[in-house]
Amino acid sequence: MERLEKESQYIEELKKYDTPSITNVVATYPRDEELCLGLYHPWKGKWYTDQTLKCMYPELGRMAGYVVTVTFGLPDPAFKRRSFLDLYKAIEAAPKPVILAIKQNFPEEYKKKNGLCGGNMMTAFKSLGVAGVLSDGPSRDLDEVREIGIQYMLTGVCAGHGDFSIMEINTPVEICGMDVAPGEMVHMDENGAVKFPRENLAQIVELCEKLRKQEERKQSLLRQFHDAETLAKIMSGTYE
C-alpha cells in the first residue's frame, strides 16, 4: 500500500509535464547522461506512438497510469475463452489509474470502419478506474465519452461496427508504433503517448523537474537576445 501511495504522488507530479518532456528524459537524448535515462534506442526502439494516434480531448490534459492491454478481433467460433468479465477483472486487479491499451486485430477492410468503444463501454471502464484509452483503430460516441472524462487516443472516429470478440487480455501489443506490455506505465497527451518501466517512475519525475528548470533558463535567454551568434551559443549550451 505504501508503494502505491508513493507512486500515486509521482503520477500526479507527472501531469505537470507534457509527453515530449517525458520522452526527452526516457530516451530521446542518450548522450545526455545527466538528464536522459537512455532506456530505449531513440529511433529503433518502439517506445512512443507515431502520428497515426490522435488525441480526441486535448482539453482533458495529461494522463498517466498503469497499462492493461486487450486485443479485439472478429468472432472466432473455435475460440470463446475470453469475455468482458475477464477484461473487467483484469482492470479491477490492476493498480490505479489504468491506461487501457486496445489492440484492434481486424482485417484491413474492417479496421478503419470499426467504431469499437462507445459510451456504454467507456462508462464501465471509468467505473473500474480507467483514466485513458489508447487504440490503434477508431471508436465512437465522442460527445458521450467527453462527458465521462476518460482521455481518448485513437486513429480516428466512425459511427458503427459489426460483431467482435476479445482475443487476448494482458499480452504485449503494438499501438501505433509503440510496443507496450501490461504492468508498464504510459504518459499521454495531445502530443501522443510514451511508455516506460514502472520502476523508473520516481527517476522520471526527478529528471523532468531538472529538465523543466534547464529549459526555462534556456528559453529565458533566447528571449533576451536577437542576434544569430548568441542564439546559436544558447541552443548549443556554450553560452556563458
Side-chain angles (χ1 to χ4, degrees), residues 18-55:
D18 60 17
T19 301
S21 295
I22 309 298
T23 66
N24 283 350
V25 304
V26 168
T28 298
Y29 300 109
R31 285 179 292 183
D32 186 350
E33 297 186 10
E34 181 182 349
L35 286 176
C36 180
L37 294 173
L39 298 179
Y40 313 101
H41 190 286
W43 284 117
K44 297 179 181 179
K46 294 186 174 182
W47 53 284
Y48 63 95
T49 55
D50 60 33
Q51 65 176 352
T52 60
L53 190 70
K54 308 294 192 302
C55 180

Side-chain angles (χ1 to χ4, degrees), residues 92-218:
E92 185 178 50
K96 307 299 183 295
V98 166
I99 302 296
L100 183 62
I102 299 177
K103 181 70 178 178
Q104 297 197 30
N105 193 12
F106 292 88
E108 286 303 314
E109 66 264 34
Y110 300 143
K111 188 167 182 177
K112 292 181 180 179
K113 57 185 296 185
N114 180 35
L116 181 66
C117 294
N120 293 334
M121 196 183 298
M122 295 290 278
T123 298
F125 291 157
K126 176 74 170 183
S127 294
L128 289 165
V130 173
V133 166
L134 61 152
S135 178
D136 64 343
S139 281
R140 60 181 184 169
D141 292 345
L142 286 190
D143 51 343
E144 290 184 45
V145 177
R146 180 180 288 108
E147 297 302 316
I148 294 169
I150 295 181
Q151 187 57 276
Y152 231 177
M153 304 281 284
L154 311 168
T155 60
V157 294
C158 65
H161 61 72
D163 288 341
F164 56 79
S165 64
I166 295 176
M167 302 171 66
E168 296 178 336
I169 297 170
N170 271 343
T171 60
V173 296
E174 180 181 343
I175 304 293
C176 298
M178 179 178 71
D179 287 339
V180 64
E184 292 183 311
M185 305 201 75
V186 159
H187 184 284
M188 54 199 273
D189 66 12
E190 59 192 302
N191 297 285
V194 57
K195 72 163 187 178
F196 54 87
R198 181 178 179 179
E199 57 264 28
N200 293 109
L201 176 59
Q203 286 178 288
I204 290 170
V205 171
E206 179 182 354
L207 291 180
C208 279
E209 181 59 18
K210 288 183 179 179
L211 176 65
R212 181 190 66 80
K213 292 178 179 178
Q214 184 186 90
E215 291 195 338
E216 281 185 354
R217 179 180 181 275
K218 178 179 286 188

